[in-house]
Amino acid sequence: HNMSSTGGSEDAGRDLCLRLTSRRVPENAAQKDRTGLPFGVTVQPFKPLPHFPVDASALLDPADEVARCGDCFGYVNGFCGLERDGWVCILCGNFSYWSSDPAGDGGKPRYKRNARRNELPEIALPEYEIEVAREVLTVNPREPLGTAPVYVALIDTTAPEETLELVRSAVLAAIEAVGPDALFGIVTFADRIGLFDVQAAAPSVRRVGLGKDGGLAMPLEEALPLRRLLAPVGAFKEELAAAVETIAPAKSRFGSAGFSRLGVDDGMIDGGDGPVGRRAFGPALEATLAWLGADAVEGRGGGRG
Ligand SMILES: [Zn+2]
């Protein structure tokens, strides 16, 4: 199924931050471009699977031992045509030869001339979970910027209080979940962008307005240096949480109710320049990414969102 905060023109749920739709979202490339959002897809069968969810701490077999189709890169499974020298992909019909390379520490190929090939989990089990990649980070506590994982919450304060309440809970849970070594930054946007300085003796919010051309009045780095925005979670968890609790709906000239509907009026995605004012989503996202990216290319490297 598709999940979208923008699809559909029905009034029901117009102020929800998450809506389900059976329509195609985005409907075309032009609409996708107008959203300015990176789209991703998660596919999961509706039927509950007996082995899932698996224990997240369990050590999974590495994916690189499991044979993949030479044409479509599908993984081998029990539905494929298994032959002496190779296999026929159930997804695309391509024939791939079994590799002669030894697998793991066993010294023998995993599939080739393996009399017990049909007992391999990827072939015997209806579902099988493997580890595609594992990321190992080494954080330098004295120079966390560039070595620690970076998370930035970009919060739309044109939303009504009910929605912001959900967002605050989600951000608090995220701060809890990312771990003490991570760096966390809080950025809000409505018709201005707010940068939270939680590391100062007296935490404050720096606000950057929009210029006449719709861009930012000043670069974010000038308003607040990146290393001040990105707080180490281990040392500043309480300050971060306190800052999140202060986030309230932005006021507009026409009251928060009208402001909250910016961007979804008429079911259009590209609202925000309508008669009720401006919402700086595009400039906020663009400036924040440029800010994080600029730091990464300045040689510290590795900064990620
Ligand atoms: Zn294939």
Side-chain angles (χ1 to χ4, degrees), residues 14 18 26 51 80 90 135 138 175 196 217 248 258-259 272 278 296-297:
R14 110 174 324 198
L18 182 71
H51 305 99
C80 297
I90 188 66
E135 188 174 46
T138 308
I175 292 169
F196 283 67
F259 208 42
R278 293 190 297 185
V297 297

Side-chain angles (χ1 to χ4, degrees), residues 6 13 34 38 46 77 84 86 88 96 111 121 146 151 159 180-181 184 190 222-223 228 241 282 290 297:
T6 52
R34 285 204 307 275
F46 286 124
N77 57 70
R84 193 191 65 172
V88 179
S96 303
Y111 305 96
Y151 300 86
D181 288 333
F184 205 97
E222 278 178 31
R228 291 279 293 280
V297 297

Side-chain angles (χ1 to χ4, degrees), residues 69 71-74 89 91-94:
C69 172
D71 195 48
C72 76
F73 305 110
C89 176
L91 296 175
C92 74
N94 180 66

